[in-house]
Amino acid sequence: MTDDKAAELLAAVRAVESGERSAASFFTEPGKPQAAPRPEPSAAPRPAPADVAARRGPAAVPDGLREVLAEGGAPEALAPRVAEVLGDRSGDLLRSDPWQLLAVPGVRPEQADGFARALLGEAGGPGDERRTRALVLWLLERAALAGHTALEPAALAKGLSGYAVPEPDEAVRSAVDAGAVLVFEDALDTMPQGALPAAGQDEQEAGEARPVRILLGLDHCALAEESLADGLGRVISTAARPGAPGERGPDEWESAAAGAPSASAAELIRAVAGHALVVHTGGEAARAEPAALLTAAGQLGLRACAAAHTAGGRERLARLMPDPDRAESAASERPRHPVVTVAGLLDGREGPGRDGEGAWALDLLIVCDAPQLDAETAAALVESLPDGARLVLSGDPNVLGSSGPGQVFADVLASGSCPHIASRTPDPGPVGELVSGISIGELNQVDAPGKEVVIVPVRDAGEAVHRTVQLVADSVPRAIGVPSGDTQVITTGHGGAAGTRALNAALKERLHPGPGRFDGFDPGDRVVHTPSRGRATPAVVVSGEEEGLRLEHLSTGERVVVARDRVADEVRHGWAVTAHQAVGMNWPAVVAVLPGDAAGDLTREWVYTAFGRAERHLSVVHGVEDALPKAVASVTAPARTTRLRALLTQSARAAEAARTAQAGRGAAGMQDDQPQVGPA
C-alpha cells in the first residue's frame, strides 16, 4: 500500500467517525459515479456521560499490531481504531485474516484488498472465503448505516458481484452456513387483517400458504428489532386495567381531556386513557399536545416523563409546560413534569431513577422526535419501561429519519398495532404554510408580508457562498432583526464548493476571523460538537488547553473538554450544518443553501427538514432551478428494509388469535353450564 493510499485510508476512517462520509456513498456499486461526500444523519444517541465522553483516550494498542499494519502498508495512526474494533488479539487476527481490517469503520474493500495482498501475496484471491465473508459483513454494516436492518439475499449477492466475488450466491450461502449472518423468514402481509380463510382452508393452512420474505441481517440489528417488537407487545399486554392499583378511572381521564387546551390535545389524552401504546403525529406546533398530556398526567398524579431528541428540543418542550414551582407540590423533591433528552434518560443523567430490575419509576413515557429513534435506541427505551406503563411515540413523519438502522416510528405507524392521533394544529405563519405544502408534495408560493420567506437566486456555488455570507452578516440582521448568532445556515453536504467546509470558512472569515491556533479553532468560534453519532450539539469554543479544546454547549451551558486527538473527529465549525445535523433543532432564522451541484441530493424529506428549522425567517439561496419543485413533488428518501412492521403484525395476529381462542373456550364453557332441555 503506497503512502498516498495509506493517507487516504486514515482520512476515510476519520471521515466516517466524524459523520463526514455518508452511508449512501459507501452502499453503492463500484464503478458508478459517486457524488461528493455527504453527511450522514447523526445516529441515535449512545449513552455516555457528557462530562467524560469528550475525554476519551485512544484504545491501548496490543503488541504486534503496529508491525502488522506496517507490513500491510496501513498507517500507524490507524492502530488505536483497529484495537478498539478488533480487541487485544487484533495483530494476530489481521495476520491470519487481513480482511478483518474491513471491520474498522471507513475502510473500503479496495483498501483491505491492498492490505491483504501486501501480507499474503498471491495466496489470497477474490474468491478467498475470508474475503467473501468479510465483504458480506461489510455490506450489511454499510446497509445498516443507510438505515436497513436486513437485506434480501439477491441484494447482498449483487453487492458482492460488484467486488469481483466469483460466485456471489454461493458466497452468501457460505456466510450463512458459517453463522456470520442470520436468516429470517417474515410473512408477507398479503392477506388483509381480519380476512377469513378460503373455503375448505383452515387458519393454519392459510398461514402456511402466506408467502414469506427471506432476509439476511446482523445479530445486533436483528436482536434490537426483535427485542423492540417483544417490548412493544409487553407494553400493550401489560397495560394497567381499570381498577388496578394506581390506575385512574375513566371519569378522571375525561376530566383531564375536557381541560385540554385544544381538541387535538384532548383526543391524545383520551387515546392514552384507553391504550398503553399510542402514536401521535404533527409538526413543530403540535408539540403543545404532548406537553398538554404531560401536564394532565401530572395533575392525575401519574409518574410521567417526556424525552426529546436534542437539548434544544427539550428546552422548547419545557417552555410549553406550566411553571414547575406551581406544578409540583411543596413536598415533592423531583419536578412533576420532567422533560429530558433521550440520551440523558438512557444514561441516567436525566429523568427518573431505576429500580433493582433496571426499570424506570414511570407510569407514562412520551418520546418526542420519535422518527429519530433507531431500533437499538428504541429497544433500550422500551426494555426500561415497567409493566403497566404507557408509551406515546410522537413526532413529525415528514422529517429525515433516523440515521441508525431501523425506521421505528414509520414501522409502528404502518403496522396499525395502536391508535394513531394526527394533530390538527398547523405550524403558524408563512414558513409553517410553506412546509405544510411541502409535506404533501407541493411547493407553494406563500404570502410573506414581513419577508418571512425570501428566495435568493444564484448562478453558481461561488455566488451561493457570497450571498449566504451577506445574508447572515448583514441582510437578515438589518431587515429581519435576527442577529447573526441566531441565524443558522443549512446546506446539503460537507464537501463541494458550497458545502459546510466552504461556507464555514467564509463565515468565519467574515464573522469571527482568527488564525485557528487551537487545531483550527479560536475562542468564540461557533462549532458543532459530535461526541458520538447522533449527538450533534451546537457549541462555542471557550479555550484551547493542554488537555484539549474546551467547549460550551449553547443549549445547556454545559462545558466539556475534547481531547486533542479527538478534535478532528468530534468538532467542526458550526455556522453552517447539514439538514441531518439540524434535525430536532430550530433557530429564529435559517438560510437554506441549494447550490447547483446539490440537485441530485434533494428529497422531499430533506427540503421539509431544512426549511422547517426556521421559526421566524427563511432565506433560500436557490441555485438548483426546477430540481427543487421536482424533488418536493416526487423524490422521497430511499425505502429502508426493516423487519419491525412484520414482527408487530405477526405479534398482533397472534394476540388476536389467542383472544379469539380464549373467547371460544369461554363460550364453550358457558354452553356446558346451560341446563339441558328435553328428555335425559
Side-chain angles (χ1 to χ4, degrees), residues 349-608:
R349 290 182 292 111
E350 305 174 60
R354 296 177 184 262
D355 62 21
E357 297 181 352
W360 291 313
L362 281 178
D363 301 306
L364 169 65
L365 174 63
I366 304 167
V367 182
C368 297
D369 310 307
Q372 302 310 305
L373 290 177
D374 66 18
E376 293 180 80
T377 304
L381 287 171
V382 173
E383 288 168 1
S384 299
L385 287 175
D387 289 349
R390 291 174 165 89
L391 173 64
V392 175
L393 300 176
S394 175
D396 190 338
N398 301 299
V399 299
L400 290 164
S402 68
S403 62
Q407 49 181 13
V408 174
F409 191 67
D411 282 343
V412 174
L413 188 58
S415 72
S417 56
C418 63
H420 169 208
I421 306 301
S423 173
R424 297 187 296 276
T425 305
D427 286 336
V431 175
E433 183 183 349
L434 177 64
V435 297
S436 178
I438 292 170
S439 71
I440 58 173
E442 298 176 359
L443 188 64
N444 300 317
Q445 187 173 352
V446 297
D447 237 356
K451 297 183 179 179
E452 293 88 350
V453 178
V454 174
I455 308 298
V456 182
V458 294
R459 291 164 302 204
D460 54 40
E463 186 181 3
V465 172
H466 172 75
R467 295 304 302 273
T468 298
V469 173
Q470 186 181 54
L471 284 164
V472 174
D474 179 50
S475 301
V476 172
R478 177 172 44 80
I480 310 300
V482 177
S484 298
D486 291 334
T487 300
Q488 183 63 56
V489 176
I490 300 177
T491 188
T492 54
H494 292 299
T500 61
R501 287 195 206 91
L503 286 165
N504 277 317
L507 287 162
K508 175 174 171 56
E509 183 179 353
R510 175 68 184 274
L511 299 173
H512 196 257
R517 57 186 179 274
F518 300 117
D519 299 308
F521 300 96
D522 294 298
D525 275 1
R526 187 167 163 182
V527 297
V528 173
H529 179 214
T530 310
S532 60
R533 292 176 62 84
R535 298 181 65 179
T537 303
V540 64
V541 175
V542 176
S543 62
E545 304 169 8
E546 183 177 350
E547 57 183 341
L549 196 66
R550 185 174 296 277
L551 309 177
E552 180 177 317
H553 288 171
L554 294 176
S555 53
T556 63
E558 179 183 25
R559 293 197 172 190
V560 298
V561 176
V562 182
R564 280 196 177 275
D565 66 319
R566 301 298 304 177
V567 169
D569 298 327
E570 296 185 7
V571 185
R572 64 170 64 247
H573 283 109
W575 288 282
V577 300
T578 67
H580 293 106
Q581 291 176 313
V583 171
M585 294 185 271
N586 287 77
W587 292 269
V590 164
V591 178
V593 183
L594 309 177
D597 60 1
D601 297 330
L602 296 181
T603 65
R604 181 186 303 168
E605 292 85 354
W606 190 96
V607 177
Y608 182 92

Side-chain angles (χ1 to χ4, degrees), residues 149-233:
T149 59
L151 286 180
E152 294 183 353
L156 197 51
K158 183 179 179 182
L160 289 174
S161 67
Y163 290 101
V165 173
E167 297 181 10
D169 292 319
E170 181 59 35
V172 171
R173 284 191 289 270
S174 176
V176 171
D177 292 341
V181 297
L182 302 180
V183 183
F184 310 101
E185 294 185 3
D186 290 335
L188 293 174
D189 194 16
T190 55
M191 180 180 292
Q193 194 166 358
L196 297 176
Q201 184 185 43
D202 61 25
E203 290 187 7
Q204 182 176 355
E205 292 172 337
E208 292 172 352
R210 185 177 293 121
V212 298
R213 178 176 63 164
I214 306 298
L215 293 173
L216 305 176
L218 300 169
D219 54 0
H220 69 90
C221 294
L223 294 175
E225 280 198 303
E226 292 188 351
S227 174
L228 176 56
D230 290 343
L232 292 173

Side-chain angles (χ1 to χ4, degrees), residues 232-397:
L232 292 173
R234 178 179 61 84
V235 168
I236 294 172
S237 64
T238 63
R241 306 298 181 207
E247 178 62 8
R248 304 301 178 262
D251 291 344
E252 293 176 279
W253 280 105
E254 182 54 39
S255 176
S262 68
S264 293
E267 189 178 3
L268 178 60
I269 293 170
R270 291 188 179 100
V272 172
H275 301 85
L277 177 63
V278 175
V279 170
H280 170 259
T281 58
E284 182 63 29
R287 282 180 185 267
E289 293 149 28
L293 170 62
L294 192 58
T295 300
Q299 292 170 347
L300 290 172
L302 298 177
R303 300 169 301 174
C305 177
H309 177 59
T310 64
R314 176 190 62 194
E315 299 310 312
R316 296 198 306 279
L317 189 61
R319 288 196 294 268
L320 296 170
M321 303 301 301
D323 185 337
D325 293 335
R326 296 194 301 269
E328 61 180 336
S329 65
S332 174
E333 295 182 0
R334 280 180 175 265
R336 183 175 292 181
H337 309 296
V339 181
V340 300
T341 62
V342 169
L345 180 62
L346 284 173
D347 66 26
R349 290 182 292 111
E350 305 174 60
R354 296 177 184 262
D355 62 21
E357 297 181 352
W360 291 313
L362 281 178
D363 301 306
L364 169 65
L365 174 63
I366 304 167
V367 182
C368 297
D369 310 307
Q372 302 310 305
L373 290 177
D374 66 18
E376 293 180 80
T377 304
L381 287 171
V382 173
E383 288 168 1
S384 299
L385 287 175
D387 289 349
R390 291 174 165 89
L391 173 64
V392 175
L393 300 176
S394 175
D396 190 338

